Amino acid sequence: MWVILGVIAIVVTFINLYMYTTGKDYKLAMAMGLTFTALTLCAEYSLVSGWVKAEDWSALLDVVPGMERALWFLTMVSILLNIAPILLERKGKK
């Protein structure tokens, strides 16, 4: 599930950037991009929670350390890309 939500977050983020470059209202796409990013993180947390309940320690040891770094990086990139239009708009008004 987290993969699907992550792909949707990426697609909506690019729609956000496209709408900004074409001069259309991008704020709904920005909110959707950030929302799907948050849902992706929740889905990943649910997956890890299931592994803990099942006491699948090998899955936790294999996946969690790498996923932690990836999720931090991808979340920061998502936030920066989604708020970039607002920052560029403010810079243009100065």
Side-chain angles (χ1 to χ4, degrees):
M1 184 66 159
W2 67 270
V3 174
I4 295 167
L5 292 170
V7 169
I8 293 170
I10 291 168
V11 169
V12 174
T13 298
F14 283 112
I15 291 171
N16 172 27
L17 295 172
Y18 172 76
M19 291 178 77
Y20 171 74
T21 58
T22 59
K24 297 179 181 174
D25 186 22
Y26 59 87
K27 291 184 175 88
L28 177 61
M30 177 185 63
M32 288 177 58
L34 293 172
T35 299
F36 278 104
T37 299
L39 290 173
T40 302
L41 293 172
C42 291
E44 176 65 26
Y45 191 83
S46 294
L47 178 68
V48 170
S49 175
W51 289 340
V52 170
K53 288 177 187 173
E55 297 182 8
D56 190 356
W57 307 122
S58 61
L60 290 167
L61 290 170
D62 287 342
V63 175
V64 171
M67 286 303 293
E68 177 197 9
R69 283 183 238 111
L71 290 173
W72 273 106
F73 175 75
L74 292 172
T75 301
M76 287 187 285
V77 168
S78 176
I79 291 169
L80 289 174
L81 286 177
N82 278 295
I83 66 169
I86 290 177
L87 299 175
L88 292 171
E89 204 171 75
R90 283 186 163 193
K91 183 181 176 185
K93 288 183 181 179
K94 288 184 181 180

